[in-house]
Amino acid sequence: MAGWTAAVLMRATVAGLSVVVGTMVGVTVTRVDTAADDPAEDPAAGPAPRTLSPAVARRIALAAQGFAEPRPGTEPDRRHLRRVLSRVRLLQLDSVNVAVRAHYAPLFSRLGRYDPALVDTAAWQDSARRPRMLVEYWAHEASLVPVEDWPLLRSGAKPQGWWRRYGALAEAEPALVDDVLAVVKELGPVGAGTIERELTGPGPRTPGSWWERSTVKRICEWLFGIGELTTGTRVGFERRYDLTERVIPPHVLGRRVAPEDAARELVDNAARATGVATEPDLRDYYRLGPRASKRAVAELVEQGTLEPVRVPGWRHDAYRHVSARAPRTVPGRALLCPFDPLVWERDRTERLFGFRYRIEIYVPASQRVYGYYVFPFLLDGELVGRVDVKADRAARVLRVPGAFAEPGADRARVAAELAAELGVMARWLGLDGVAVGERGDLAEALRRACAAL
């Protein structure tokens, strides 16, 4: 440290990454170390981070996700959608449709009954009166993100995804890449099956396992991953590819962001969405690499955007966004789908709520503990139960094969509130009622509560 002015020396340590800011001969210098010094041995280290109780951390997280705000008293519209998106920042896409598709459910959890066309028009339609608000890309997983975030995700801040393995195929088949782009240019938005038929004729596909993809589909996914194609629309959840320049506005498509700047913006987004979080939590929100995430967190601490805090029981140091608030209470109820941003990171869910949650879709039926597609139930700021749900559209009923209360929960109250919320969900899905099965310690009480509605 010879030559550094000790009076202006600051250090911010973030999950093993140390940023030192100081002045030497009148020039501000920033140095990033790969390992943190022991604060006890660093006379320039600042005061110890303040401590947040687990209850306060939980309320901060809930408020950041929009659960401290009452549901609208009127039909939700584009303004309400925009407000939710300003909180959660993205909606994860998933093909499972046993109850409701994943990108619709978080809005129901926060807004109550709304017209799903609100999401469809925001994501897959564009007009002068109602410009496209959302675009598909790899964020947490496949997700709908605000159009203005596209340059951040395409900046190089994120590691390339699974589709990178198709790069070798694209390199070996440049003519096929050109042909796919030409078909999309002529016919887009267009599905991969139509593209394949245009290029290979109407003959039968080669039989194979369900997860196998045709060569054309692989090229489409690679072009989607590198940003040459995106989703123009969806029909029956089938992605219809289009040229990116026909979907993303020119002023957004032309924006160039340095990877380190994009990582900082993405971590800032994640910190706003989580309220208080560990560095691994922030990293996971957009699936950033560890080095980029740690550097961004360190820089945001240095800027005063993130406040280092401690939460008893959390293994890692935590960071509170300066805009985060801790309401006294978080009243209300919500059913949370497995891909809701509040619960998608299972370790964080357990730290915040003491709620161990695992998705059991890929577990053999005989080995499932709670069920196939289980929604945690949020009541007054606590996760108090969980239900396995299935929309039986043929019978026009929302089936609940299993219902389970958390230890210590007031089962009578949980059953009454859960029955009411399941009724709201059933009506939102266009179903006539709720049918509760036999599994779980809450099933009988829930069945009685549903019958009483």
Side-chain angles (χ1 to χ4, degrees):
M1 283 300 175
W4 289 75
T5 305
V8 293
L9 183 64
M10 297 183 296
R11 180 184 299 274
T13 300
V14 180
L17 192 72
S18 179
V19 172
V20 181
V21 179
T23 302
M24 182 171 63
V25 294
V27 179
T28 300
V29 181
T30 301
R31 191 192 78 218
V32 180
D33 298 330
T34 56
D37 295 339
D38 183 355
E41 298 178 0
D42 184 358
R50 68 186 177 110
T51 297
L52 301 178
S53 71
V56 169
R58 182 168 55 251
R59 294 199 303 273
I60 290 174
L62 287 164
Q65 282 281 306
F67 287 103
E69 301 170 8
R71 289 177 174 176
T74 58
E75 177 74 17
D77 57 23
R78 216 166 157 92
R79 294 169 302 165
H80 297 101
L81 173 60
R82 191 174 288 110
R83 182 180 301 171
V84 172
L85 290 172
S86 73
R87 297 287 194 183
V88 301
R89 300 304 306 178
L90 58 88
L91 300 170
Q92 185 173 336
L93 293 159
D94 191 83
S95 60
V96 176
N97 194 29
V98 66
V100 59
R101 293 211 187 270
H103 58 288
Y104 297 125
L107 290 164
F108 170 73
S109 300
R110 292 154 179 81
L111 300 177
R113 293 173 64 185
Y114 76 98
D115 185 352
L118 191 63
V119 178
D120 296 340
T121 56
W124 298 305
Q125 293 183 24
D126 184 62
S127 68
R129 190 168 68 89
R130 292 193 169 186
R132 187 188 300 261
M133 288 174 58
L134 297 167
V135 66
E136 289 187 33
Y137 197 62
W138 296 102
H140 182 74
E141 290 288 342
S143 304
L144 293 172
V145 300
V147 169
E148 60 268 21
D149 285 352
W150 168 269
L152 305 180
L153 298 168
R154 288 290 308 134
S155 66
K158 282 171 57 68
Q160 291 190 29
W162 58 267
W163 42 265
R164 69 185 182 279
R165 65 178 180 264
Y166 296 153
L169 174 63
E171 194 171 319
E173 300 282 354
L176 178 57
V177 172
D178 291 342
D179 288 344
V180 168
L181 288 171
V183 172
V184 173
K185 183 177 182 179
E186 180 182 354
L187 301 179
V190 61
T194 300
I195 298 171
E196 185 172 21
R197 286 191 294 274
E198 287 290 318
L199 295 177
T200 64
R205 291 275 305 277
T206 301
S209 301
W210 67 270
W211 63 83
E212 289 182 353
R213 295 168 181 261
S214 72
T215 301
V216 170
K217 177 64 174 175
R218 292 187 184 102
I219 293 297
C220 289
E221 289 296 322
W222 181 76
L223 289 167
F224 181 93
I226 67 170
E228 291 293 315
L229 297 180
T230 189
T231 305
T233 190
R234 280 184 181 263
V235 178
F237 202 66
E238 181 196 19
R239 178 185 286 159
R240 301 291 176 90
Y241 295 95
D242 207 343
L243 300 179
T244 301
E245 61 262 31
R246 296 203 296 223
V247 174
I248 307 293
H251 71 279
V252 175
L253 192 61
R255 183 187 173 205
R256 297 292 179 264
V257 187
E260 59 272 16
D261 294 335
R264 190 166 53 251
E265 285 193 52
L266 291 170
V267 169
D268 182 55
N269 284 350
R272 290 176 186 274
T274 54
V276 60
T278 65
E279 183 275 321
D281 294 339
L282 297 173
R283 183 198 317 169
D284 179 71
Y285 211 84
Y286 288 99
R287 299 291 167 85
L288 297 174
R291 185 171 181 82
S293 174
K294 291 175 182 180
R295 181 184 295 271
V297 170
E299 291 169 350
L300 291 168
V301 169
E302 177 194 337
Q303 292 173 5
T305 302
L306 296 182
E307 175 197 4
V309 296
R310 298 188 190 281
V311 181
W314 290 23
R315 184 163 54 94
H316 296 286
D317 292 338
Y319 303 89
R320 183 191 72 88
H321 197 278
V322 293
S323 68
R325 63 187 184 92
R328 291 182 180 274
T329 60
V330 185
R333 66 189 186 217
L335 286 161
L336 306 170
C337 90
F339 305 105
D340 192 288
L342 183 65
V343 296
W344 67 26
E345 213 294 301
R346 310 310 185 199
D347 178 70
R348 175 175 169 81
T349 302
E350 194 161 354
R351 276 184 279 118
L352 282 171
F353 297 99
F355 186 92
R356 182 171 173 78
Y357 182 44
R358 299 292 184 272
I359 193 166
E360 298 182 281
I361 290 174
Y362 304 109
V363 176
S366 61
Q367 298 176 27
R368 291 177 194 142
V369 178
Y370 296 108
Y372 181 80
Y373 203 63
V374 174
F375 281 53
F377 182 50
L378 178 70
L379 180 63
D380 294 342
E382 301 278 357
L383 293 180
V384 296
R386 62 190 92 197
V387 283
D388 186 17
V389 294
K390 177 181 179 179
D392 186 341
R393 294 171 176 86
R396 297 187 60 82
V397 67
L398 182 63
R399 299 200 180 277
V400 182
F404 307 83
E406 285 298 285
D410 181 343
R411 292 191 183 184
R413 181 164 184 262
V414 170
E417 295 285 353
L418 179 54
E421 190 65 10
L422 287 166
V424 175
M425 175 179 270
R427 292 189 292 277
W428 175 56
L429 295 175
L431 306 175
D432 296 332
V434 179
V436 181
E438 302 292 331
R439 295 185 62 246
D441 58 1
L442 192 62
E444 184 177 348
L446 181 61
R447 191 162 46 249
R448 289 198 302 267
C450 287
L453 292 178

